[in-house]
Amino acid sequence: MSYIAHIRESDGKHQSVEEHLLGVQALAERYGEKLGVKHIAGLAGLLHDMGKFTHGFRDYIMAAVANPDAPPRRGSVDHSTAGGKLLYDWFHTDKATSSPTLFLVAEVVGNAIISHHSYLHDYLNAAQESPFLNRVRRPEDEPPEFNRSRSELLERVISEAELRRYVACAADEMKAYMGQTDAARLPAKLLFLNKFIFSALIDADRTNTRLFEENREEPADSYSDKRALFARFYERLMVRINAFPNAPHAVSINALRKEMSTQCERFAARPSGIYMLSIPTGGGKTLASLRYALSHAIQHNKSRIIYVVPFTTIIEQNAAEVRRILMDDEHILEHHSNVVDDADDEDEFEDGLVNKRQKLKLAKDNWEAPIIFTTMVQFLNVFYAKGTRNIRRLHNLCDAVIVFDEVQKVPVSCVSLFNQAVNFLKDDGNSSIVMCTATQPALDHVEQKLRVTPDGEMIADLDRVVEAFKRVDIIDRATGETFDSEKLTAFVKERLCEVRSVLVVLNTKAVVKRLYERLSDQDIPLYHLSTSMCAAHRNTILEKVRGHLDRREPVVCVSTQLIEAGVDVSFECVIRSLAGLDSIAQAAGRCNRHGEDAIRRVYVIDHEEENLKHLHEIRVGKTEARNILALMKRDNRLFGGSPLSVQAMKRYFQSFYTEMKSKLDYPLPELSTDMTMTKLLLAERKQNIFYVAYIETKKQDLPLFLVNSYRTAAEYFEAISDKTTAVLVPYGEGKDLIARLTGDETIEELSRLLRRAQQFSVNLFYHERALLERNGGLVSLLDGKIWALKESAYNEKYGLDLANDSQFDLSMY
């Protein structure tokens, strides 16, 4: 009898279970080599679909093909338990042939296998139960035909002797990976090993399935000669750097940019580490960091370069700039957000057939491109969010150069989680990390420290560099004075009597919209920017703004903070509502950015109408920045005489993180008053609250080496504090994309459409989505896996229109 893993939609051809297991094993081994765990990852691939060696699964998949309109009941066949149960039976029940190392191999690999259609199971949860044990300790008659699947595996794929030898190699890798790890770091080592093996398995499984469905051979490496590619890119970059313009106002600025770029080049020869690149705003950090990244990748044979930025706005700008310089579209990927809502899916009982939902799962979304631009939210989701779409990318973060642009924007609640992930990538993942910003946060000033490489600052004599780049004066209008919208409107009009261009950055969308409406009676180009607009819409607005600025024409732009980090615009005057000192510095970087004029002014105001009730980080940042400004008002010699100095920023971040100390470990008050995400994931065995409670309640030990709660943590994790849903918007090309996402596309075409669709999406908060559902502003695509706005729910000026009564004529785009 032949056993079937998948049936191809186009021609009905069968992929045998043997072919699939060996194909996934080969891919997983290749991915595992990045961490030195080739056999551990390969073992997961070899056993993950062992449960398909059953009459039950064969009958199930054949019946589903024969009756597409009335398929067998979902949940009727369990095929993912068998491989995990085999390892548990061998190494947890037969103590004579086991060891602590084999325990670990069985638990890490077993969890990846039983979870590969959902998410990693808890080894122990809040109810003092072990979902992992509940799966792998099932009796011999559960899952059905377990003995048959084990016999068929050992007969058709690998003999028992060969499998035990393979497991012994995995155990050797486990010993090497663990090394001499001290007890305090052990949980983190094991956490990230679990997640890495799971990532390698998910990507190998989906890649093999996709290639079979597309009738293509498995590639040795999609981008095999990356060193030669990076060398070509480096040559093109140097042409650009050597051609910096020499206009009179730009000579000194460009000389400094070249000097700092050269310093980055020198650092490229150093081993992988965590380095700081503290280039002032406007100092050319994109090109300088790219020079380091390309040179380091060439010298140390890295697989890819990944830029992680706080806002999608920066992705669009930086990726476009890098494309122009490197003259390449094919090898640069922009990943803005997940437009597919599948985090809660458990698709085991749809495996084998490729329907619309499965095509979304298989669509290529694994970050294997040589150069990637993504967001901080997506980076954190890879490590900590539930579902399989995010974690699939994790193994591709290893053996890479990762540049965190504007790293000070790490969400406060995620600081400890961020530090642990980055430490893993440097210590075990062979990645080199660059923390790139003009305002370095004190990430080594917290309990879960970032382990920065000694002497890791790339730029020498920072105080001199900061002073040399001074292009603005900060004018404090926030100490002892407040503004409302009416007063601010008058203030903007006053500034327009002195300068041609004004940028106003405020903390909430409501006051931005209010000011925009009040200024609309001016006979001057006026623009509005906020996250209620999709990326493509914002980019259109920014291009219009840049046009006015380049022509030195009058223009006013009113925006939320999205404009202030990395967006290449240069206004003659900036007005910034009081927020964290880093935000003030970033806003200042949009004023006189290239030194076109003499020193310009950046006004800091306190807007009394901003509702910051739910914006705790901004409230605390505002308080700490006000303290700095108040101190300088009493003595203007403090902090080197500037609130943007290195000394001022260091004082600000230390005070900020001290004030936010209770938030840094991602509190989980839903579980208990003192529970945090780091305790769920990183607590040592004897300090694990759930384990202590288990011992007290059960009066016996838990028969597992691992006791942490990976799934519970993922269920609660959100990189930003409010749950959002990405929806497509009918703006420009987005209208056509919405029409084309029917599910009848090939997997390759669907992959392309989903990548493109990211630029035509906005994120809805729960209450916004509920309101749009009530008033008919949303439509469902692909069985509810993708959502889109109706045309009436998107506005030309403001983007998202919750009232669903927009008169925006989208046909003009």
Side-chain angles (χ1 to χ4, degrees):
M1 175 182 288
S2 62
Y3 293 94
I4 304 169
H6 300 98
I7 298 178
R8 188 153 56 217
E9 183 183 45
S10 60
D11 59 8
K13 183 176 179 180
H14 296 181
Q15 181 189 40
S16 72
V17 177
E18 300 97 301
E19 291 170 334
H20 181 58
L21 292 182
L22 292 171
V24 174
Q25 177 194 16
L27 283 170
E29 284 184 342
R30 198 170 83 220
Y31 301 157
E33 285 179 340
K34 303 170 191 176
L35 212 66
V37 292
K38 169 182 176 180
H39 292 88
I40 300 176
L43 184 61
L46 185 64
L47 300 180
H48 80 287
D49 272 356
M50 169 185 148
K52 290 185 177 179
F53 279 125
T54 61
H55 293 171
F57 186 83
R58 190 179 191 280
D59 293 344
Y60 166 82
I61 195 171
M62 295 297 288
V65 170
N67 304 283
D69 296 327
R73 180 178 59 85
R74 287 186 64 191
S76 58
V77 178
D78 167 6
H79 69 266
S80 65
T81 298
K85 177 173 171 55
L86 172 67
L87 292 173
Y88 179 82
D89 287 352
W90 274 14
F91 301 114
H92 282 68
T93 60
D94 185 2
K95 302 292 178 21
T97 61
S98 191
S99 68
T101 305
L102 289 171
F103 258 52
L104 271 179
V105 170
E107 290 171 22
V108 170
V109 175
N111 202 349
I113 291 171
I114 67 173
S115 307
H116 77 273
H117 287 289
S118 53
Y119 192 76
L120 289 167
H121 283 55
D122 287 338
Y123 293 105
L124 188 62
N125 64 21
Q128 288 92 58
E129 294 179 348
S130 174
F132 172 80
L133 279 177
N134 291 343
R135 284 286 294 274
V136 297
R137 277 204 302 202
R138 292 180 178 180
E140 288 296 310
D141 59 342
E142 289 187 26
E145 302 183 85
F146 170 72
N147 289 328
R148 180 191 303 279
S149 62
R150 179 178 55 198
S151 299
E152 295 290 355
L153 172 82
L154 298 178
E155 180 179 330
R156 294 171 180 261
V157 181
I158 186 171
S159 71
E160 180 170 343
E162 291 172 323
L163 181 56
R164 288 189 180 273
R165 283 195 292 271
Y166 194 91
V167 172
C169 292
D172 289 341
E173 290 171 351
M174 181 67 77
K175 289 179 183 176
Y177 175 79
M178 298 309 297
Q180 301 298 316
T181 306
D182 60 62
R185 292 188 182 180
L186 185 62
K189 290 275 287 190
L190 291 170
L191 164 69
F192 293 114
L193 178 63
N194 269 269
K195 289 178 179 272
F196 179 91
I197 297 301
F198 190 47
S199 171
L201 174 59
I202 295 296
D203 197 17
D205 183 24
R206 291 187 179 176
T207 298
N208 177 266
T209 303
R210 176 177 56 81
L211 291 171
F212 170 74
E213 181 64 24
E214 294 174 344
N215 196 18
R216 292 165 51 198
E217 294 295 321
E218 294 185 358
D221 192 334
S222 300
Y223 306 98
S224 55
D225 196 2
K226 287 175 183 168
R227 182 176 286 182
L229 179 69
F230 289 147
R232 291 198 300 275
F233 286 169
Y234 179 82
E235 291 174 2
R236 294 168 186 172
L237 173 65
M238 292 310 299
V239 169
R240 169 62 184 275
I241 289 175
N242 291 328
F244 273 147
N246 291 315
H249 72 268
V251 172
S252 60
I253 291 285
N254 285 330
L256 277 168
R257 287 171 176 165
K258 284 184 179 180
E259 177 188 335
M260 290 185 290
S261 170
T262 301
Q263 291 181 42
C264 291
E265 170 83 38
R266 296 193 191 108
F267 257 76
R270 294 181 59 168
S272 296
I274 299 176
Y275 299 113
M276 317 303 281
L277 177 54
S278 303
I279 289 183
T281 302
K285 63 178 180 295
T286 300
L287 298 190
S289 60
L290 183 60
R291 183 174 178 181
Y292 165 83
L294 288 170
S295 183
H296 187 78
I298 294 165
Q299 294 181 60
H300 297 273
N301 200 28
K302 301 298 184 186
S303 297
R304 59 190 46 80
I305 296 166
I306 303 171
Y307 275 86
V308 181
V309 304
F311 305 126
T312 56
T313 327
I314 310 176
I315 291 182
E316 299 137 27
Q317 174 187 285
N318 289 6
E321 182 180 12
V322 169
R323 282 195 182 95
R324 284 194 299 270
I325 295 167
L326 303 185
M327 295 179 286
D328 189 290
D329 286 327
E330 177 187 358
H331 299 102
I332 300 172
L333 170 70
E334 292 179 51
H335 187 265
H336 298 247
S337 61
N338 291 332
V339 298
V340 181
D341 183 14
D342 63 357
D344 293 315
D345 280 6
E346 298 205 15
D347 68 340
E348 174 166 6
F349 309 116
E350 294 179 352
D351 195 25
L353 301 172
V354 180
N355 54 26
K356 290 181 180 181
R357 290 161 59 94
Q358 290 300 91
K359 282 184 180 180
L360 288 173
K361 293 281 187 183
L362 299 176
K364 196 173 183 180
D365 195 10
N366 62 351
W367 290 2
E368 70 171 6
I371 297 180
I372 298 163
F373 287 85
T374 191
T375 65
M376 179 64 72
V377 168
Q378 296 306 319
F379 173 82
L380 291 166
N381 281 347
V382 165
F383 283 95
Y384 301 110
K386 63 183 176 180
T388 55
R389 179 174 297 276
N390 294 299
I391 201 168
R392 177 182 180 183
R393 305 162 184 143
L394 190 152
H395 73 91
N396 277 329
L397 288 167
C398 297
D399 197 27
V401 183
I402 307 176
V403 179
F404 291 96
D405 197 359
E406 311 297 356
V407 69
Q408 77 281 358
K409 296 295 185 183
V410 178
V412 166
S413 63
C414 299
V415 163
S416 294
L417 297 175
F418 172 81
N419 286 353
Q420 289 289 354
V422 172
N423 288 337
F424 158 75
L425 290 171
K426 187 265 289 185
D427 293 341
D428 299 312
N430 192 35
S431 287
S432 205
I433 313 295
V434 180
M435 299 297 176
C436 185
T437 179
T439 54
Q440 288 288 355
L443 295 177
D444 56 351
H445 188 69
V446 297
E447 185 176 354
Q448 304 278 350
K449 296 182 185 300
L450 185 70
R451 295 194 285 275
V452 178
T453 302
D455 300 318
E457 174 56 63
M458 293 187 182
I459 303 302
D461 197 0
L462 270 178
D463 288 328
R464 176 187 67 85
V465 172
V466 170
E467 180 61 30
F469 266 90
K470 182 177 179 180
R471 301 180 303 286
V472 301
D473 281 330
I474 303 297
I475 309 300
D476 177 10
R477 294 290 298 268
T479 305
E481 180 182 7
T482 62
F483 282 67
D484 58 15
S485 293
E486 182 179 357
K487 182 176 177 180
L488 181 55
T489 301
F491 188 68
V492 172
K493 292 178 180 179
E494 290 173 13
R495 301 287 73 73
L496 287 171
C497 296
E498 305 167 351
V499 298
R500 286 180 293 256
S501 58
V502 176
L503 169 65
V504 186
V505 183
L506 305 175
N507 289 319
T508 67
K509 289 188 283 188
V511 292
V512 165
K513 185 176 180 180
R514 199 174 302 150
L515 180 64
Y516 176 86
E517 291 170 343
R518 282 180 171 272
L519 288 169
S520 60
D521 62 349
Q522 296 294 292
D523 187 21
I524 185 173
L526 174 67
Y527 296 94
H528 167 280
L529 283 170
S530 82
T531 52
S532 291
M533 298 171 170
C534 70
H537 192 175
R538 293 197 303 267
N539 200 44
T540 298
I541 298 296
L542 282 168
E543 284 305 309
K544 291 179 180 179
V545 170
R546 288 191 187 101
H548 293 298
L549 295 172
D550 290 345
R551 294 187 295 270
R552 311 282 277 188
E553 296 172 352
V555 62
V556 175
C557 182
V558 185
S559 177
T560 59
Q561 64 175 333
L562 68 86
I563 198 172
E564 68 187 14
V567 179
D568 189 8
V569 289
S570 184
F571 289 80
E572 293 181 6
C573 174
V574 169
I575 302 168
R576 181 49 162 108
S577 182
L578 185 60
L581 210 57
D582 57 319
S583 295
I584 294 170
Q586 294 299 328
R590 306 320 114 192
C591 185
N592 198 21
R593 183 173 178 83
H594 305 295
E596 303 97 324
D597 302 306
I599 297 296
R600 290 287 186 180
R601 290 183 168 187
V602 173
Y603 297 90
V604 180
I605 64 150
D606 187 358
H607 199 306
E608 63 187 35
E609 296 173 7
E610 291 178 339
N611 182 1
L612 304 180
K613 179 180 178 181
H614 299 294
L615 300 173
H616 183 61
E617 291 183 30
I618 294 179
R619 290 204 318 273
V620 174
K622 182 175 178 176
T623 298
E624 298 305 325
R626 193 197 307 277
N627 292 340
I628 297 283
L629 293 174
L631 287 171
M632 293 195 67
K633 199 149 202 171
R634 290 196 293 269
D635 183 353
N636 61 12
R637 296 168 299 177
L638 289 174
F639 310 117
S642 170
L644 305 187
S645 66
V646 175
Q647 304 97 301
M649 285 298 165
K650 183 176 181 180
R651 167 71 174 269
Y652 166 77
F653 275 113
Q654 288 181 352
S655 299
F656 179 76
Y657 286 138
T658 298
E659 183 65 26
M660 297 291 289
K661 184 177 181 180
S662 64
K663 304 290 185 184
L664 300 177
D665 290 343
Y666 204 112
L668 293 172
E670 304 92 335
L671 292 178
S672 70
T673 54
D674 62 345
M675 179 57 73
T676 66
M677 191 75 72
T678 56
K679 287 181 180 179
L680 284 181
L681 296 173
L682 302 170
E684 298 176 50
R685 187 181 182 91
K686 292 182 179 179
Q687 278 75 50
N688 186 292
I689 296 173
F690 297 163
Y691 176 72
V692 172
Y694 179 92
I695 297 296
E696 293 176 353
T697 303
K698 307 289 185 181
K699 308 302 180 185
Q700 62 181 14
D701 200 358
L702 183 73
L704 292 174
F705 191 97
L706 295 166
V707 298
N708 296 90
S709 309
Y710 297 159
R711 180 173 290 200
T712 296
E715 290 285 344
Y716 283 101
F717 179 78
E718 293 170 3
I720 53 177
S721 58
D722 293 288
K723 180 69 174 175
T724 59
T725 301
V727 298
L728 301 184
V729 302
Y731 173 86
E733 185 186 337
K735 189 174 181 180
D736 179 59
L737 288 167
I738 291 170
R740 294 181 64 186
L741 283 168
T742 64
D744 295 327
E745 305 84 6
T746 64
I747 297 171
E748 184 175 8
E749 177 63 10
L750 187 59
S751 300
R752 191 189 68 79
L753 290 175
L754 290 176
R755 284 197 298 271
R756 185 63 183 151
Q758 295 174 70
Q759 294 207 22
F760 299 89
S761 68
V762 297
N763 289 317
L764 298 181
F765 293 110
Y766 176 81
H767 71 276
E768 293 174 326
R769 174 172 170 172
L771 178 59
L772 284 168
E773 286 178 339
R774 286 197 301 272
N775 64 25
L778 284 177
V779 293
S780 168
L781 308 174
L782 295 175
D783 300 326
K785 294 292 100 182
I786 296 177
W787 291 88
L789 293 180
K790 290 185 177 179
E791 291 188 43
S792 54
Y794 200 78
N795 184 284
E796 179 180 11
K797 292 180 180 178
Y798 307 116
L800 174 66
D801 185 346
L802 293 175
N804 189 27
D805 59 1
S806 173
Q807 302 301 310
F808 189 8
D809 181 9
L810 291 162
S811 62
M812 66 186 287
Y813 290 91

